[in-house]
Amino acid sequence: MRNYRELFRTPEFTPFFLAASAQTVAQTMGGLALGTLVYRATESPLLSAVSMFGESLVQVLGAMFLLSAADRLPPRAALTALPLLFAAGTAAMALPGLPIWSLFAIVLAMGLVKSVGGGVRWGLLNEILSKDGYLLGRSVFNIMSGLMQIAGYATGGALVALLSPRISLLVAAALYVLAAAVVRLGLTGRPPRATGRPSVSATWRANALLWSSAPRRRVYLALWIPNGLVVGCESLYVSYAPDSAGTLFAFAALGMLAGDVLVGRLVPPRLRPRLGFPLLLLLAVPYVLFLLHPPLPLAAAAVTLASVGFGASLVQQERLVALTPDALTGHALGLHSAGMLTMQGVAAALAGSVAQLTSPAGAMTAMATLSAMVTLALMTAGRREQRATAPAPGR
């Protein structure tokens, strides 16, 4: 599979893509509305932030206890039921007079469910496209995610400003129902990729199997840690430039879009494996410039260049799929998604704590430096293994 035209001609890809787009807009709108609702009720920036990103922090629990369901549930049935659960939870959060603790309970429950949903979705994508088309398809989803987040924040912001956060939550719930309908009508029924019942023990066994391979371990660490630490840098845009944070986020999204197109469409397959670690270094190094408090145009250029490095995740995901048995593809990709989101939430909290003690610019530089150090350590470990496993001369 070589281009986007072939991608969208693939049976079932278009409805799968449209359903995911609606769900991304719903998630973005719902998060913004919930954060606003909690802040208006509590005037607490901390509670507002946790209400928006608490789902990410709970993903690790789903990865530890629930991920076996990703390959043991019929994909169409699961991807129909999950948005309906999200719709119910989002609509429930719009109820007037709901206690704050109830809102957080719903947020955490939805986070656990989403940790399974990611594995089901990306495992099904691998079935629809096969392994040779997975990277191109995932690059399109990454591009879509950035565009739909922009649309969701714009629409949600308008609804919150002109009407109320609760109306925005109800619109988000309706979009979840739409996503479920598109999946049910547009996809065909498939059997689960693995047999047996979902269970905690099955999840642990699969996690242990995936983690037992040194190459897979390095892929997971490369997907989780450098990326997450740089997201910690992004979490400080507001405190670094309160009046220009939106500009920095927009240019970061532009850089991410460029990186996804570059890796997913323009770079020849034979060259892609060589780009993983260089792109991870690119992801971190430009943030060192923030220690000098650059003017906005230079700062925007730095975040744009850095965000091109997010294209490294496509290279690492392709590697992960190649290293994973077909029966565990959904579980493996779900573990990637859950670990990535967890690390991003942890990194945001860490970056905020460092900024509290030093400054946003100093914290951004520290997080970027740590990201680059982790990347270099992973590069060194990979080269050592290559030398250890290389055949001896003359054999």
Side-chain angles (χ1 to χ4, degrees):
M1 190 167 295
R2 295 170 295 179
N3 55 54
Y4 297 140
R5 183 177 299 177
E6 290 182 23
L7 194 66
F8 282 95
R9 286 178 177 173
T10 303
E12 300 185 87
F13 180 80
T14 298
F16 184 76
F17 178 84
L18 293 175
S21 300
Q23 198 163 322
T24 300
V25 176
Q27 181 177 339
T28 305
M29 289 180 61
L32 178 61
L34 180 62
T36 304
L37 192 66
V38 169
Y39 185 73
R40 289 181 180 179
T42 65
E43 296 187 355
S44 169
L46 175 60
L47 292 178
S48 177
V50 171
S51 70
M52 293 183 69
F53 297 102
E55 287 184 358
S56 296
L57 293 173
V58 80
Q59 295 275 333
V60 67
L61 297 178
M64 291 174 61
F65 299 112
L66 303 176
L67 263 184
S68 64
D71 291 302
R72 289 173 168 80
L73 296 174
R76 184 179 69 173
L79 292 178
T80 301
L82 292 175
L84 293 177
L85 291 174
F86 300 153
T90 304
M93 290 189 290
L95 293 174
L98 198 67
I100 294 297
W101 68 265
S102 299
L103 291 175
F104 281 103
I106 295 172
V107 167
L108 296 178
M110 290 174 65
L112 286 173
V113 173
K114 284 181 180 177
S115 66
V116 175
V120 176
R121 176 182 295 137
W122 303 128
L124 179 57
L125 178 65
N126 190 57
E127 288 189 52
I128 291 174
L129 298 180
S130 74
K131 289 189 176 183
D132 67 328
Y134 178 82
L135 184 137
L136 182 64
R138 190 62 190 261
S139 74
V140 170
F141 270 83
N142 287 0
I143 293 168
M144 173 275 291
S145 179
L147 295 175
M148 292 302 102
Q149 285 181 34
I150 293 171
Y153 279 127
T155 305
L159 288 175
V160 167
L162 298 176
L163 298 173
S164 73
R166 289 189 169 86
I167 295 297
S168 187
L169 285 168
L170 292 175
V171 173
L175 285 171
Y176 279 125
V177 173
L178 176 62
V182 172
V183 168
R184 183 64 182 82
L185 298 175
L187 300 183
T188 58
R190 283 180 169 83
R193 286 177 292 274
T195 58
R197 289 186 176 183
S199 67
V200 174
S201 61
T203 299
W204 285 13
R205 283 196 302 270
N207 284 345
L209 176 60
L210 291 169
W211 200 250
S212 65
S213 163
R216 276 197 299 263
R217 281 200 302 273
R218 276 197 305 279
V219 171
Y220 276 124
L221 294 175
L223 281 165
W224 295 342
I225 302 178
N227 172 309
L229 292 170
V230 171
V231 170
C233 297
E234 293 183 347
S235 72
L236 299 175
Y237 286 172
V238 173
S239 55
Y240 176 81
D243 298 327
S244 306
T247 300
L248 294 178
F249 276 117
F251 276 94
L254 177 63
M256 187 184 300
L257 176 64
D260 288 331
V261 173
L262 174 68
V263 175
R265 182 69 181 88
L266 301 180
V267 175
R270 62 186 176 81
L271 296 180
R272 278 200 296 259
R274 303 178 186 178
L275 292 181
F277 288 119
L279 284 171
L280 285 179
L281 288 175
L282 177 64
L283 186 60
V285 170
Y287 278 98
V288 176
L289 181 66
F290 279 80
L291 191 60
L292 303 177
H293 295 273
L296 181 61
L298 191 54
V303 302
T304 304
L305 179 61
S307 296
V308 172
F310 279 114
S313 67
L314 294 174
V315 179
Q316 306 292 354
Q317 286 173 53
E318 186 177 44
R319 174 71 170 153
L320 178 62
V321 169
L323 291 171
T324 301
D326 290 341
L328 285 176
T329 299
H331 191 117
L333 293 170
L335 183 61
H336 147 56
S337 180
M340 177 187 69
L341 291 172
T342 300
M343 186 60 203
Q344 288 177 0
V346 170
L350 176 61
S353 300
V354 175
Q356 195 79 18
L357 298 173
T358 58
S359 69
M364 292 165 80
T365 303
M367 299 296 283
T369 301
L370 184 57
S371 176
M373 291 172 62
V374 170
T375 297
L376 291 173
L378 291 171
M379 288 175 62
T380 301
R383 289 172 179 170
R384 285 176 180 168
E385 180 178 336
Q386 287 178 354
R387 289 195 295 268
T389 58
R395 291 188 179 182

